[in-house]
Amino acid sequence: MNNFKLEEKSEYRAVLISADTGEFDAELSIRELFELAETAGVTTEFYAIQKRPSYDSATCIGAGRLEEIAAEARARDVNIAIFDCELTANQTRNIENILDVQVIDRTTLILDIFAQRANSKEGCIQVELAQNKYRLAHLAGRGIELSRLGGGIGTRGPGESKLETDRRHIRTRIEALEQQLKKLEKRRKLHRERRKKDNILTGAIVGYTNVGKSTLLNALTDAGVLAENKLFATLDTTSRMLELPDGRSIMLVDTVGLIRRLPHQIVKAFRSTLEEAANADIIINIVDISSDDGIEQSKVTDSLLNDLGCEQIPKIKVFNKADMLETHDNIPLDDKTVLISAKNKSGFDELLKCISKNLPQTAVRKKLLIPYDKTHLIGSIRNEGKIFSEEYTENGTEIDALIDIKLLYLVEDYIQ
């Protein structure tokens, strides 16, 4: 049995349990589970990792090992067990019978955190949808309490089981939530199309949860987004405009944080939010360089981005929390990576230059001398780009302007 050090106690006192089958690093994963539990307001009393060739179909880690954990749990007054995997309904029931405490799995814990943290209408709908789909998949095998028969007006028909009634109600609710999401997704799609039509560049800030995405957005744009040292501190998408050194403007979009082995229910439910990355002009992948697991976390992000179809979108890697390092000598930097401290607001000039350099070339900044008989070109430049300064001279109008690429051929003779 192992312990985590905690400063505070909560009403939920947990044992964290993992079956180490070699699929992933169990120690790293259970430490992440500890952070998830802490975010949910749960105090972890101890944890147990059981090496096994495979999961036990009845109890996940084996009845004998569970009996040992049960004795320790009683001694420490534990009232909840959290498994670092997804349990079946039968496994949950069997484990509860042995441990005599409430049993939840990793997915249930994450869904609970999401339910606590979602604030926007879309976020709340996505969470409820994921919860209901998970409940529906885990109704079977819940035990005798769901096999009662009976009848009722407007609810169960004669002979319909409680299990069937629950399934029917959940399916009805899922359909209603999916319809609501479709309407919101249609609106989001229209917003994206409008941004494309208006030539608004977008940059999606992605990364492992708790790497400093919200802190960075706040520091760059004064967005006022909640930034806490907790997993999933924010779930709702925030967008803010930012001007780049080359004169172009970009809309930065903060996306939901990722974690190792993100449950597929979460990925699917939050796909519309994560699609901001799939539709971005550039992806800004934030990595906590101070974390021993930072590079591995970055690989998790890369893998999920590939699943979303983001392979062809330009990406830069931003190593955050540089202020926590003693030396930066071993950090691999190139023209697509940059080292910053969002907390101390250092490295931002390099970051903005890196974003500009790796964005698709949609516009260029030039100084022009436009003859007075070609002044209509200035109107076109203003409509499609941006004019920073304008001065009337003897030979024409001198302008410093950001020119859309598709107009460049019209003014190339007037570039100074």
Side-chain angles (χ1 to χ4, degrees):
M1 307 296 178
N2 299 276
N3 297 290
F4 286 116
K5 292 182 180 179
L6 288 169
E7 297 179 0
E8 298 179 0
K9 296 287 184 180
S10 73
E11 61 178 302
Y12 292 104
R13 296 175 302 281
V15 52
L16 310 184
I17 302 172
S18 173
D20 183 2
T21 62
E23 292 179 59
F24 50 85
D25 189 320
E27 285 284 351
L28 284 176
S29 187
I30 208 162
R31 287 195 170 275
E32 182 177 89
L33 189 68
F34 164 74
E35 291 187 51
L36 288 167
E38 192 173 39
T39 298
V42 176
T43 296
T44 298
E45 295 291 338
F46 69 102
Y47 72 92
I49 298 176
Q50 177 66 26
K51 281 188 173 291
R52 293 183 56 87
S54 61
Y55 294 103
D56 182 76
S57 60
T59 61
C60 186
I61 65 168
R65 182 64 166 137
L66 279 177
E67 293 287 0
E68 295 174 4
I69 294 171
E72 182 75 12
R74 286 192 294 271
R76 295 184 181 234
D77 201 22
V78 162
N79 54 18
I80 188 169
I82 306 174
F83 276 72
D84 195 23
C85 61
E86 190 167 306
L87 299 173
T88 67
N90 281 327
Q91 285 174 329
T92 302
R93 184 188 66 236
N94 295 335
I95 295 166
E96 284 180 344
N97 288 338
I98 296 173
L99 295 182
D100 196 28
V101 297
Q102 181 185 357
V103 174
I104 65 173
D105 60 16
R106 180 186 179 89
T107 301
T108 302
L109 178 63
I110 293 171
L111 287 171
D112 182 74
I113 294 170
F114 273 39
Q116 293 177 29
R117 301 276 170 162
N119 292 313
S120 70
K121 182 178 180 181
E122 183 172 9
C124 292
I125 292 173
Q126 287 170 329
V127 170
E128 188 182 349
L129 179 60
Q131 287 176 323
N132 276 289
K133 286 187 173 180
Y134 189 71
R135 284 177 60 205
L136 184 63
H138 287 74
L139 274 179
R142 282 271 302 279
I144 195 166
E145 76 276 7
L146 290 182
S147 63
R148 298 190 301 270
L149 297 177
I153 299 174
T155 55
R156 289 172 292 174
E160 184 178 18
S161 72
K162 176 69 165 58
L163 176 59
E164 290 165 348
T165 303
D166 284 351
R167 281 177 174 157
R168 180 161 52 84
H169 285 315
I170 292 173
R171 287 194 182 105
T172 300
R173 183 59 182 160
I174 287 173
E175 289 176 7
L177 291 169
E178 286 179 335
Q179 287 302 315
Q180 292 180 54
L181 264 187
K182 282 180 181 178
K183 292 178 181 178
L184 291 171
E185 287 168 1
K186 185 177 180 181
R187 189 182 307 165
R188 185 187 291 273
K189 184 179 179 182
L190 289 173
H191 286 319
R192 283 199 294 259
E193 290 174 351
R194 180 60 185 267
R195 291 203 300 260
K196 292 292 184 185
K197 184 178 179 182
D198 293 342
N199 295 320
I200 296 176
L201 296 168
T202 57
I205 302 176
V206 304
Y208 212 78
T209 186
N210 203 32
V211 296
K213 298 189 308 301
S214 296
T215 302
L216 176 61
L217 187 65
N218 284 337
L220 286 172
T221 68
D222 298 322
V225 180
L226 174 68
E228 289 185 315
N229 187 27
K230 288 185 177 180
L231 302 190
F232 303 120
T234 53
L235 294 179
D236 301 313
T237 301
T238 303
S239 304
R240 293 291 185 274
M241 294 298 294
L242 177 70
E243 187 166 308
L244 298 171
D246 62 7
R248 289 185 291 177
S249 294
I250 186 171
M251 179 177 286
L252 295 182
V253 182
D254 184 17
T255 62
V256 65
L258 309 176
I259 62 168
R260 206 179 272 99
R261 292 158 48 228
L262 192 67
H264 68 275
Q265 292 92 347
I266 300 295
V267 175
K268 191 170 183 180
F270 281 81
R271 196 173 184 88
S272 59
T273 304
L274 293 171
E275 276 176 358
E276 291 295 341
N279 288 276
D281 295 289
I282 191 168
I283 293 173
I284 304 163
N285 184 357
I286 314 297
V287 180
D288 179 0
I289 196 62
S290 70
S291 170
D292 294 336
D293 198 28
I295 301 302
E296 187 63 32
Q297 292 174 359
S298 178
K299 291 178 181 178
V300 172
T301 304
D302 291 337
S303 176
L304 186 53
L305 289 173
N306 289 338
D307 291 344
L308 290 169
C310 301
E311 296 97 328
Q312 304 304 316
I313 299 174
K315 301 176 185 67
I316 65 171
K317 195 152 287 187
V318 180
F319 294 122
N320 188 27
K321 305 189 182 182
D323 55 295
M324 299 178 69
L325 298 180
E326 293 183 2
T327 176
H328 305 157
D329 295 340
N330 297 324
I331 299 173
L333 299 177
D334 54 32
D335 59 355
K336 293 186 178 181
T337 61
V338 64
L339 183 67
I340 70 162
S341 168
K343 181 180 178 181
N344 295 340
K345 299 186 178 181
S346 64
F348 282 10
D349 289 343
E350 291 77 9
L351 171 59
L352 297 182
K353 289 176 185 176
C354 189
I355 293 173
S356 298
K357 186 174 181 179
N358 288 282
L359 266 173
Q361 193 71 6
T362 57
V364 292
R365 187 168 181 171
K366 297 288 184 181
K367 289 186 177 181
L368 307 172
L369 178 61
I370 305 293
Y372 287 119
D373 62 345
K374 301 290 184 181
T375 53
H376 64 280
L377 293 175
I378 298 177
S380 298
I381 292 170
R382 183 177 282 110
N383 289 336
E384 299 292 337
K386 184 188 297 183
I387 294 179
F388 300 102
S389 66
E390 191 171 355
E391 183 179 348
Y392 299 103
T393 70
E394 183 179 339
N395 298 317
T397 307
E398 285 187 355
I399 63 172
D400 178 10
L402 187 68
I403 306 164
D404 192 289
I405 287 292
K406 63 178 178 286
L407 296 180
L408 197 57
Y409 76 98
L410 295 174
V411 297
E412 57 187 358
D413 293 338
Y414 311 117
I415 296 175
Q416 291 186 310

